[in-house]
Amino acid sequence: MELASSLRIAFTGLKSKKTRTFLTMLGIIIGISSVIMIISVGAGAQSLILNQIKALGSNQISIFPGASEEAGPPPSVFGSANTSLKVSDMVALENAQNVPNVEAITYYVRGSATMNWQGNEFNGTFVATTASYPIVHDISVAEGRFIDTEEEKNLSKVVVLGATVKKELFGDQEALGQLIKIKKHQFRVIGVMTAKGTSGFENQDNYVFIPISTGQKIMLGIDYISLARIKVNSSENVNQAVEDIKAVLRDQHHLDSKELDDFTVRAQAQAIEIFSSITDSLTYFLAAIAAISLLVGGIGIMNIMLINVTERTREIGLRKALGAKRKNILSQFLIESIAVTLFGGIIGIIFGILMSLLVALIARWLGYNWDFVISVSAVFLSCSISVLVGLFFGLYPAFKASELNPIEALQYE
Amino acid sequence: MDKKVLIKLSDLKKDYVNEDVATEVLKGINLEISQGEFVAIMGPSGSGKSTLMHIMGFLDKLTLGKYFFKGKDVSNLSDDELAEIRNEEVGFIFQAFNLLQRTSVYDNVRLPLTYSSKKFDKNKVITSIKAVGLYHRLNNLSNQLSGGEKQRVAIARSLVNDPSIIFADEPTGNLDSKSGKQIMEILQDLNDHGKTIILVTHEKYTAEHARRILKIVDGEIIDDYQVKERLIARLEKDLTK
């Protein structure tokens, strides 16, 4: 018997009990749509977090002063000032022969200060840094220019304002060329940054930028730096660059082979990996819970198929009397249950995609940079799971049907 | 009769085992049925007439003895072999019609061909439906038909694979006398055109439409004779009206 006529028989059977067929499908529809939705929302949330990390610069390496455990946080997190990193170390790193894959290096110290212009005050953070800061942090200047390499070294009192600071101090007035007070020192405004909003857990719009030498010597009276960030030319070269940086710094600090690093080098990629694995495992955990409803749906299907077999005992008897073999009856009922689950699965996939789209639209409306992600593999997986559920839970009822004795089945009341 | 022997049963026995108690339903049946015969098997309920029909119709297996069909020993066939032979050689007409519910006349008649290994031929279905005068009902659903029409669809279904023999189990049992007459007329007509028919009934009146009557009591044939003046079912009206 050809597949086409098996399918025809199966669908005629299903069509005659529309309500029941739909209710049977419901379990599968709910199960599959939950799985699709959870995977999609999980992927959306993951990309949201990863985008924030990547906003720091995707090929970045951070250097912190002081030693740390391999997987633990750098010591600066605990607030202890560590003086092990110097500008001279940075100069050694900037030498292209030492770390060949470096695209840009920037480093800085920070402090908080009250800024003042004609009576307008703003309590913010000054970042004393180098000319390459915008390259590494992927930010740009809206007006004027950033600190240049000359100013970086010769204690210039120039400042670049973050977008919020500019607005707070100057409102709509022209800021370029004006003198503002930071602590007790006069700084000339040479640029204003483009507004960027919160990214990577900090808001650069609240910062002002001054040359590193000015920050160290005039504002803070120190000779060390608190953090360095390095942009590598491609992500494949990050690991090599980390090794190169460590070697350079150990050499700079005259550490012999027995001494541990007095600094910490961390790649941004590590953070991405950690976040990815956390969100991945959360997603799969939730999807697995949703998949339990598929099991429940499957049991519902077995139940209904058993009722079907009992109700249609006479029909089975007739088919056998007219020449249906065991395998014909088996395949008829198997195809019926697979058709129910596959069709339910397809409806579930469509419904799940619509729900995921809704979540994405709401998230975007709330202002998140949310990606609407539907994984093709999840869709195919859902389809195959639907078919397997139908096959698995349809097998027993179908087998029961195929075993019926034609005479007894024909006389069944 | 010098016609070819279709069915030959020698000392056929059938036991039913129920909770370790064996009941002997058929106690050694010897019988020959030739091509073109119209045989009525009569007997009270529980006499074994249905069991005999089931075995001859390949729906059930015998316990002892031999069954030759078209000269071939078919006493020990597997379930699938029985299914195949039912599909190719036998047509069934049941008392309760046994049509597929909410299914068109066409699809009901087509059903045996679904399980056939031969290439599907739509003309066979149409020819069978025309033979019982229901071509105008081709696309009607089974539940839209009267009892008599349902049984005519069942007859068309039994004819569609061009079987060697048709078994009719109380075909008029669920019908009013007029519809019953119509069914008997069709069966007689088929027999006149050479079909071998075995009719199972407990009514003497119905049995007398056949050419030969077998009487069974308690699993044994107690009488076997040719009907001298068989009843001829004829309706005045045309079937299709």
Side-chain angles (χ1 to χ4, degrees):
Chain A
M1 188 171 60
E2 347 120 58
L3 185 69
S5 56
S6 309
L7 283 172
R8 225 168 56 109
I9 293 169
F11 278 105
T12 317
L14 293 175
K15 241 169 48 188
S16 66
K17 293 271 191 303
K18 285 194 192 80
T19 315
R20 182 192 288 180
T21 305
F22 175 73
L23 288 175
T24 314
M25 272 182 200
L26 208 54
I28 301 296
I29 293 175
I30 293 172
I32 292 286
S33 60
S34 319
V35 170
I36 292 279
M37 200 174 105
I38 285 167
I39 290 177
S40 169
V41 170
Q46 187 178 56
S47 76
L48 183 73
I49 295 170
L50 292 185
N51 281 340
Q52 293 208 345
I53 297 172
K54 281 176 189 164
L56 296 169
S58 51
N59 306 332
Q60 282 201 13
I61 296 170
S62 302
I63 309 171
F64 305 89
S68 70
E69 297 286 326
E70 182 61 33
S76 50
V77 169
F78 303 118
S80 60
N82 196 304
T83 62
S84 65
L85 286 181
K86 301 286 196 296
V87 173
S88 56
D89 295 334
M90 298 301 120
V91 174
L93 289 176
E94 273 169 341
N95 184 341
Q97 281 174 332
N98 293 337
V99 190
N101 296 316
V102 168
E103 198 176 302
I105 298 180
T106 189
Y107 41 94
Y108 45 87
V109 289
R110 293 186 196 193
S112 34
T114 303
M115 297 136 203
N116 185 309
W117 182 72
Q118 293 185 352
N120 293 339
E121 281 198 354
F122 183 78
N123 286 312
T125 302
F126 68 85
V127 178
T129 186
T130 64
S132 49
Y133 186 94
I135 304 170
V136 178
H137 286 253
D138 199 24
I139 56 174
S140 60
V141 177
E143 296 175 59
R145 60 175 178 85
F146 203 75
I147 301 156
D148 67 24
T149 45
E150 282 301 308
E151 291 158 345
E152 184 187 307
K153 294 186 187 97
N154 57 18
L155 303 178
S156 298
K157 288 187 184 171
V158 292
V159 65
V160 180
L161 305 180
T164 311
V165 183
K166 191 265 169 188
K167 210 177 164 199
E168 290 292 323
L169 292 183
F170 293 91
D172 292 333
Q173 297 179 61
E174 178 65 45
L176 287 186
Q178 300 288 335
L179 287 170
I180 66 165
K181 257 189 168 175
I182 302 173
K183 284 188 173 170
K184 287 172 179 124
H185 305 278
Q186 296 265 9
F187 282 79
R188 184 167 301 281
V189 177
I190 57 166
V192 177
M193 303 305 292
T194 309
K196 204 182 177 193
T198 304
S199 73
F201 317 111
E202 56 181 5
N203 190 345
Q204 311 226 11
D205 298 348
N206 291 333
Y207 296 168
V208 299
F209 302 93
I210 60 175
I212 178 77
S213 56
T214 316
Q216 281 183 319
K217 297 200 171 98
I218 298 172
M219 304 296 284
L220 298 167
I222 55 173
D223 66 344
Y224 56 84
I225 60 166
S226 51
L227 180 64
R229 283 233 162 94
I230 294 175
K231 192 173 187 178
V232 180
N233 55 8
S234 100
S235 50
E236 292 103 69
N237 295 327
V238 166
N239 290 338
Q240 182 57 47
V242 168
E243 292 312 309
D244 292 344
I245 291 164
K246 283 182 180 170
V248 172
L249 292 178
R250 286 184 70 86
D251 188 46
Q252 282 283 315
H253 295 179
H254 309 294
L255 299 173
D256 66 34
S257 56
K258 286 172 202 151
E259 288 176 286
L260 294 170
D261 293 348
D262 59 355
F263 54 87
T264 304
V265 182
R266 284 283 161 82
Q268 206 67 253
Q270 278 179 300
I272 291 173
E273 258 171 45
I274 291 166
F275 270 106
S276 301
S277 68
I278 291 171
T279 45
D280 274 352
S281 51
L282 252 177
T283 303
Y284 293 134
F285 174 68
L286 289 173
I289 290 176
I292 291 175
S293 63
L294 283 177
L295 188 71
V296 178
I299 293 168
I301 283 174
M302 177 142 72
N303 205 353
I304 292 294
M305 290 311 290
L306 282 173
I307 293 173
N308 264 345
V309 170
T310 310
E311 274 188 357
R312 286 156 64 188
T313 301
R314 285 177 73 103
E315 180 198 319
I316 296 163
L318 172 75
R319 287 179 185 279
K320 286 200 148 186
L322 299 185
K325 293 178 186 164
R326 202 173 283 192
K327 63 173 188 198
N328 298 134
I329 302 294
L330 190 76
S331 71
Q332 177 190 341
F333 280 88
L334 266 188
I335 287 171
E336 272 186 38
S337 61
I338 291 173
V340 169
T341 53
L342 183 63
F343 195 54
I346 290 169
I347 295 177
I349 288 169
I350 294 169
F351 190 66
I353 289 175
L354 289 178
M355 292 303 287
S356 313
L357 187 63
L358 190 69
V359 170
L361 289 176
I362 291 173
R364 279 188 199 170
W365 183 69
L366 291 173
Y368 293 99
N369 184 20
W370 188 278
D371 284 346
F372 172 56
V373 191
I374 290 296
S375 113
V376 178
S377 59
V379 170
F380 278 109
L381 192 71
S382 302
C383 274
S384 351
I385 289 175
S386 311
V387 171
L388 285 178
V389 166
L391 193 66
F392 183 76
F393 289 101
L395 202 58
Y396 175 65
F399 181 73
K400 262 191 90 169
S402 74
E403 287 288 285
L404 285 173
N405 173 311
I407 301 166
E408 284 168 26
L410 273 170
Q411 287 163 350
Y412 182 84
E413 292 295 328
Chain B
M1 283 241 183
D2 54 351
K3 280 191 174 174
K4 241 170 92 182
V5 175
L6 194 63
I7 288 173
K8 184 175 190 298
L9 305 178
S10 63
D11 203 22
L12 182 135
K13 287 179 182 167
K14 177 68 182 177
D15 295 342
Y16 279 121
V17 182
N18 208 346
E19 287 170 9
D20 292 337
V21 182
T23 316
E24 205 176 22
V25 183
L26 296 176
K27 302 168 181 169
I29 302 280
N30 289 294
L31 178 65
E32 270 187 24
I33 295 173
S34 302
Q35 254 172 21
E37 278 200 86
F38 191 159
V39 183
I41 302 177
M42 278 187 71
S45 53
S47 60
K49 63 183 191 299
S50 289
T51 304
L52 179 60
M53 189 206 86
H54 291 151
I55 290 172
M56 287 194 294
F58 306 100
L59 283 167
D60 207 349
K61 291 177 186 176
L62 51 87
T63 310
L64 275 175
K66 287 284 177 198
Y67 176 9
F68 297 92
F69 185 80
K70 286 185 168 174
K72 263 189 353 200
D73 186 354
V74 291
S75 315
N76 296 301
L77 295 183
S78 72
D79 284 350
D80 277 357
E81 284 168 327
L82 288 175
E84 210 170 302
I85 205 166
R86 284 198 296 270
N87 186 254
E88 285 171 8
E89 301 283 4
V90 180
F92 287 105
I93 302 164
F94 304 97
Q95 179 174 4
F97 323 133
N98 285 322
L99 300 185
L100 292 180
Q101 295 209 326
R102 290 182 217 87
T103 306
S104 71
V105 169
Y106 176 85
D107 282 334
N108 264 294
V109 175
R110 181 191 204 271
L111 192 60
L113 301 183
T114 315
Y115 300 111
S116 168
S117 53
K118 291 172 193 154
K119 198 168 175 286
F120 173 66
D121 181 3
K122 193 182 170 178
N123 289 328
K124 284 184 181 171
V125 182
I126 303 294
T127 310
S128 301
I129 294 172
K130 279 181 174 164
V132 297
L134 280 177
Y135 186 65
H136 62 296
R137 295 289 230 169
L138 193 66
N139 294 312
N140 281 72
L141 301 184
S142 50
N143 42 310
Q144 298 167 332
L145 304 176
S146 70
E149 286 173 323
K150 282 181 186 169
Q151 197 60 299
R152 278 150 68 190
V153 173
I155 294 174
R157 183 180 63 196
S158 75
L159 291 172
V160 75
N161 54 350
D162 193 23
S164 308
I165 186 163
I166 290 175
F167 291 94
D169 188 2
E170 305 273 12
T172 59
N174 281 12
L175 298 175
D176 60 83
S177 61
K178 191 181 155 203
S179 303
K181 213 170 183 182
Q182 211 173 50
I183 297 305
M184 293 315 297
E185 184 187 354
I186 295 172
L187 290 180
Q188 284 186 328
D189 191 48
L190 287 171
N191 179 246
D192 290 346
H193 286 86
K195 275 274 181 258
T196 312
I197 295 173
I198 295 183
L199 170 74
V200 172
T201 183
H202 64 276
E203 287 173 347
K204 191 164 184 284
Y205 171 77
T206 309
E208 282 174 347
H209 288 77
R211 295 178 193 272
R212 174 183 170 191
I213 292 180
L214 292 174
K215 280 189 179 162
I216 293 192
V217 174
D218 288 338
E220 286 173 297
I221 296 174
I222 57 157
D223 210 352
D224 181 354
Y225 61 94
Q226 300 290 325
V227 182
K228 288 184 187 107
E229 284 182 48
R230 69 172 184 145
L231 297 173
I232 304 294
R234 277 284 174 268
L235 284 178
E236 291 85 46
K237 284 177 186 170
D238 182 19
L239 279 177
T240 54
K241 294 285 156 65

